[in-house]
């Protein structure tokens, strides 16, 4: 059975070295997902506090970072490669 570390927002932001605002933005963009990375305490109409899983949040941030490195346009175009090869120092 895996042991998970569950933390409130303040402690999570310290452990991940990000601000609470960044965590809120990651939640809004769907990087940190409810049910896996966090759950909400409370019932009824009032929103309760969120408790976060440190390990799952780290996995989500790593996957988000990996996806960010695969953006279109990071490769040289063929014409640009030809120009670079033509300018090769002899």
């Amino acid at each position: 059975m895996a042991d998970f570390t569950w933390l409130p927002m303040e402690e999570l932001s310290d452990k991940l070295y990000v601000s609470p605002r960044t965590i809120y933005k990651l939640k809004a963009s769907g990087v940190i997902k409810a049910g896996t990375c966090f759950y909400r305490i409370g019932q009824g109409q009032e929103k309760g506090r969120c408790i976060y899983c440190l390990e799952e949040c780290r996995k989500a941030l790593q996957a988000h970072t990996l996806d960010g490195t695969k953006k279109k346009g990071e490769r040289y175009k063929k014409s640009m490669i030809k120009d670079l090869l033509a300018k090769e120092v002899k």
Side-chain angles (χ1 to χ4, degrees):
M1 182 174 174
D3 291 327
F4 294 107
T5 307
W6 294 93
L7 304 168
M9 169 71 74
E10 300 79 23
E11 290 181 36
L12 179 74
S13 66
D14 289 341
K15 298 280 186 186
L16 294 178
Y17 302 105
V18 297
S19 69
R21 184 175 179 173
T22 300
I23 294 172
Y24 288 126
K25 287 180 180 181
L26 291 168
K27 280 173 57 177
S29 65
V31 174
I32 295 177
K33 297 180 181 171
T36 56
C37 296
F38 73 95
Y39 65 90
R40 187 177 300 279
I41 299 173
Q43 48 184 314
Q45 301 251 341
E46 294 183 27
K47 288 186 175 180
R49 285 182 68 166
C50 289
I51 303 298
Y52 300 86
C53 178
L54 177 63
E55 293 80 12
E56 291 296 323
C57 287
R58 277 191 180 139
K59 275 192 228 175
L61 287 174
Q62 288 171 344
H64 178 66
T65 302
L66 183 61
D67 290 342
T69 60
K70 296 179 181 177
K71 290 183 181 175
K72 188 177 180 179
E74 290 187 355
R75 298 181 186 187
Y76 287 112
K77 294 180 182 177
K78 288 182 182 180
S79 61
M80 196 175 222
I81 291 174
K82 287 179 186 177
D83 290 341
L84 289 171
L85 290 173
K87 295 178 183 178
E88 184 180 337
V89 179
K90 294 180 182 181

